[in-house]
Amino acid sequence: GFSFDKKVEAALTEILLTDPDPKIRQAVAESLGKTNNKSFLAALETAKKDTDDGVSQEADASIRKLK
């Protein structure tokens, strides 16, 4: 899988959880599922509770890909 610098991981996690645009959060959730990097599982679990259905569904799909 992909390994990222800790600063990059932190930035991606922050965008996933705090960006005001749900389309951006959804795109990040989808991308993280393609990394095969289990370090994003906790952030994706949090994103599963996103108020936007697209974000929560994509986070769930990415979790399934990473497990």
Side-chain angles (χ1 to χ4, degrees):
F2 292 95
S3 88
F4 294 98
D5 179 277
K6 292 295 178 195
K7 289 180 183 177
V8 174
E9 283 186 20
L12 289 171
T13 299
E14 183 175 345
I15 293 167
L16 173 66
L17 300 178
T18 65
D19 195 279
D21 186 342
K23 289 182 177 154
I24 298 293
R25 296 193 311 273
Q26 184 175 347
V28 172
E30 179 183 6
S31 297
L32 295 181
K34 297 176 182 178
T35 65
N36 201 28
N37 185 335
K38 294 184 187 306
S39 66
F40 291 114
L41 281 171
L44 287 165
E45 288 287 351
T46 301
K48 257 176 65 169
K49 301 172 189 135
D50 197 286
T51 55
D52 183 86
D53 287 342
V55 177
S56 60
Q57 290 170 4
E58 200 59 62
D60 188 53
S62 289
I63 290 166
R64 287 194 307 268
K65 289 176 188 172
L66 293 177
K67 286 191 172 180

